[in-house]
Amino acid sequence: MSCADIHTPADGWRISVIDFMKLEAVIWDMDGVLLDSGPSHFQAWRTTLEKYKIKIYEERLRRTFGMTNQQVIQFIVDQPILKELTDRISREKDILFQNIIRDQAVFLPGVNKWMETFRQNSVCQAIASSGSLGNINAVLSALDAETYFDVVVSGDDLPSKPDPFVFLKAADCLGVIPLNCLVIEDAVAGS
């Protein structure tokens, strides 16, 4: 997709103007983009970590959005932790999150309208999230949004954001070159 950069020296911002005529695919992040899942994640993390007597600070946890569960645990715990324990905590947290999100999932304003617009205009769509595949499937099911996405890519076993690999993999799975994709992302770790 061709872009023209517009620099605004007064504030240092760079704005890219996108040629939407070449848009072939939209790659969506999930948490914070399709829905505000933060409160559900916080609740699941808090409950799970309390079980393991790990103190959690919401502000510190907030800075982990966009990271994989293993990275979150390493960030929260100030000392080395065995992989077996991080795997167990991660699994338990995800199961709890999936149960919570079933009742709390609601599209952010305008998201389903954009997804429908892209579908009506034959623009491929993918999810590329650092979340587990189980979490992604639970959210898509709760939102009744599975049919919008041609590809779902989970951050499981992939380099975590800010590495763009999850987005590049989604573009590859769609058969679209990255320059012809629009990525919709909100997390600082995803920038």
Side-chain angles (χ1 to χ4, degrees):
M1 180 170 354
S2 61
C3 294
D5 288 337
I6 300 170
H7 296 275
T8 55
D11 56 18
W13 285 66
R14 187 182 114 205
I15 303 168
S16 293
V17 179
I18 300 170
D19 179 359
F20 281 100
M21 297 304 289
K22 295 183 181 177
L23 180 64
E24 293 181 43
V26 175
I27 302 173
W28 298 82
D29 178 34
M30 184 180 70
D31 295 308
V33 172
L34 295 185
L35 73 165
D36 179 10
S37 55
S40 301
H41 279 293
F42 288 139
Q43 184 179 349
W45 275 119
R46 190 176 306 110
T47 301
T48 304
L49 292 174
E50 283 174 0
K51 175 183 173 184
Y52 289 91
K53 310 259 187 286
I54 298 171
K55 191 163 179 103
I56 184 167
Y57 299 96
E58 192 165 315
E59 183 51 43
R60 191 167 190 187
L61 185 60
R62 191 174 310 283
R63 290 185 277 159
T64 66
F65 264 47
M67 295 181 184
T68 63
N69 281 356
Q70 283 70 24
Q71 288 178 313
V72 171
I73 294 165
Q74 289 298 329
F75 186 80
I76 296 296
V77 178
D78 291 328
Q79 58 197 27
I81 185 168
L82 295 174
K83 183 178 179 345
E84 294 81 19
L85 182 56
T86 62
D87 290 346
R88 187 169 3 134
I89 292 170
S90 178
R91 277 192 307 274
E92 289 179 25
K93 179 266 175 186
D94 280 354
I95 289 168
L96 186 54
F97 170 79
Q98 291 162 22
N99 288 325
I100 294 168
I101 203 66
R102 284 188 185 103
D103 298 325
Q104 295 180 1
V106 176
F107 279 117
L108 284 172
V111 169
N112 54 339
K113 195 180 232 182
W114 276 108
M115 290 189 318
E116 186 60 35
T117 298
F118 292 132
R119 179 167 50 190
Q120 289 173 357
N121 287 283
S122 301
V123 176
C124 298
Q125 296 179 80
I127 290 285
S129 172
S130 60
S132 70
L133 188 57
N135 285 359
I136 295 169
N137 288 334
V139 165
L140 294 181
S141 175
L143 292 172
D144 194 26
E146 301 98 325
T147 61
Y148 286 103
F149 301 101
D150 303 289
V151 167
V152 172
V153 178
S154 164
D156 287 339
D157 303 319
L158 297 178
S160 186
K161 298 170 186 177
D163 188 307
F165 191 84
V166 71
F167 300 118
L168 296 172
K169 183 166 178 64
D172 184 57
C173 290
L174 288 169
V176 176
I177 63 169
L179 286 175
N180 292 346
C181 297
L182 171 65
V183 173
I184 304 175
E185 165 67 65
D186 73 315
V188 172
S191 313

